[in-house]
Amino acid sequence: MNILSNLLFKPAETPRIKKRRGVEIKSEREVEIMRQAAKIVATVLKEISERVEPGITTADLDAYAEKRIREMGATPSFKGYHGFPASICSSINQEIVHGIPSSKKVIRAGDVLKVDTGAYYQGFHGDSCITIPVGEVTPAAAKLIRVAEETLYKGIEQVKAGAYLLDIAGAIEDHVKANGFSVVEDFTGHGVGRNLHEEPSVFNFRTREMANVKLRAGMTLAIEPILNAGSKFTRTLSDRWTAVTVDNALSAQFEHTVLVTTDGYEILTDRTKL
């Protein structure tokens, strides 16, 4: 989850930069709890990716996610957060982020589906997002999804103690532009831990607006580039949550919760290690 402010998930709010507060450094005990929270999130997203098929509704996916999160001893991070009504954000095609699950939203073959979720476990959050091609998608959609995932890892590869947030932002921006897509600037990544959204804001493009924080071991970041096939600009629907592309072009997003280590990083929400 992401939006360009300290309260990163407040709907219908003009994005603005707030003065940076302290960035939390997690202890080994706290990191271990976050590993468990993140594993729950990774498990749910992996299972959802295997369940998605034409004809299922986004409400079905939301109910499944909440059930599984609670079965694993956690609570959904998103449900009730600033009034959000669900346990996942489900955004389809031109919907960028914060799509509200509904029994009326039937997933169809060829859709580009973004599923974002979080789990709160023993006082700490994990947060992650995936983009799922539903059945056979167009070559253009497949490229967008592929580059979006590549872009996330380009950013993560910059993470290590002593690096800077702008190293992440620059790597993301360069890869997106080299592939002919646009970076959504209205939403950012963020710190994550005791709170779903913490300092610092993790931008996906170079900007003087960002406090260029030096990374330290023990920081935990939600890195989440969002790519549009067309314009970078967004608008929010009347539900006051769902952000969409202004030109109805496709959008794709991937997100991981990442721990900064002395010599690199650890992807806490890594689905490949389940």
Side-chain angles (χ1 to χ4, degrees):
M1 272 195 178
N2 45 38
I3 199 168
L4 195 61
S5 72
N6 192 40
L7 290 177
L8 297 166
F9 195 55
K10 188 174 288 187
E13 176 177 284
T14 302
R16 53 185 175 272
I17 308 301
K18 297 188 177 182
K19 185 176 180 181
R20 185 173 66 87
R21 298 182 296 192
V23 177
E24 285 197 3
I25 304 297
K26 277 67 174 185
S27 68
E28 273 300 321
R29 183 190 68 83
E30 292 167 342
V31 167
E32 185 53 39
I33 296 172
M34 286 197 66
R35 285 192 181 100
Q36 297 306 310
K39 184 177 180 180
I40 292 169
V41 173
T43 299
V44 170
L45 288 179
K46 183 177 181 181
E47 291 176 2
I48 282 178
S49 71
E50 295 166 349
R51 292 176 65 86
V52 167
E53 62 181 4
I56 198 169
T57 71
T58 54
D60 294 331
L61 297 179
D62 180 63
Y64 180 82
E66 179 170 0
K67 174 177 175 288
R68 291 294 288 127
I69 289 169
R70 295 189 186 279
E71 284 177 349
M72 288 184 278
T75 57
S77 297
F78 296 1
K79 194 165 189 177
Y81 188 60
H82 293 287
F84 190 73
S87 298
I88 66 170
C89 296
S90 53
S91 308
I92 301 174
N93 296 332
Q94 77 275 14
E95 296 174 346
I96 299 170
V97 289
H98 305 161
I100 300 174
S102 169
S103 59
K104 296 180 180 179
K105 283 191 175 182
V106 179
I107 296 168
R108 295 178 170 82
D111 279 346
V112 174
L113 171 67
K114 283 77 70 179
V115 179
D116 190 355
T117 195
Y120 183 65
Y121 178 78
Q122 294 185 11
F124 289 87
H125 295 270
D127 187 8
S128 187
C129 178
I130 58 174
T131 297
I132 305 167
V134 182
E136 186 174 346
V137 299
T138 66
K143 179 183 177 182
L144 176 68
I145 295 168
R146 173 180 60 79
V147 173
E149 188 167 22
E150 289 173 357
T151 300
L152 170 62
Y153 288 101
K154 292 290 184 181
I156 291 173
E157 287 167 4
Q158 305 305 309
V159 174
K160 65 178 180 179
Y164 289 85
L165 286 178
L166 276 177
D167 297 332
I168 300 171
I172 288 171
E173 182 178 30
D174 289 347
H175 193 66
V176 174
K177 290 185 174 180
N179 283 277
F181 298 118
S182 61
V183 178
V184 173
E185 297 182 3
D186 289 341
F187 303 92
T188 75
H190 51 89
V192 59
R194 288 184 177 84
N195 300 294
L196 181 58
H197 297 111
E198 300 180 343
E199 295 291 354
S201 293
V202 183
F203 284 63
N204 298 312
F205 58 97
R206 296 178 181 87
T207 174
R208 294 181 180 178
E209 301 286 347
M210 180 175 71
N212 192 18
V213 176
K214 186 176 183 178
L215 302 183
R216 296 167 57 194
M219 288 182 179
T220 43
L221 308 173
I223 301 174
E224 46 183 322
I226 307 173
L227 282 62
N228 288 350
S231 170
K232 68 180 180 181
F233 294 106
T234 74
R235 64 184 180 89
T236 302
L237 299 184
S238 59
D239 64 14
R240 301 182 67 245
W241 286 104
T242 309
V244 300
T245 57
V246 295
D247 54 4
N248 291 320
L250 293 177
S251 185
Q253 176 192 10
F254 284 88
E255 172 189 18
H256 273 311
T257 296
V258 179
L259 169 70
V260 182
T261 66
T262 54
D263 57 354
Y265 58 85
E266 179 184 345
I267 300 174
L268 300 183
T269 46
D270 190 347
R271 299 178 302 282
T272 68
K273 294 182 177 180
L274 295 175

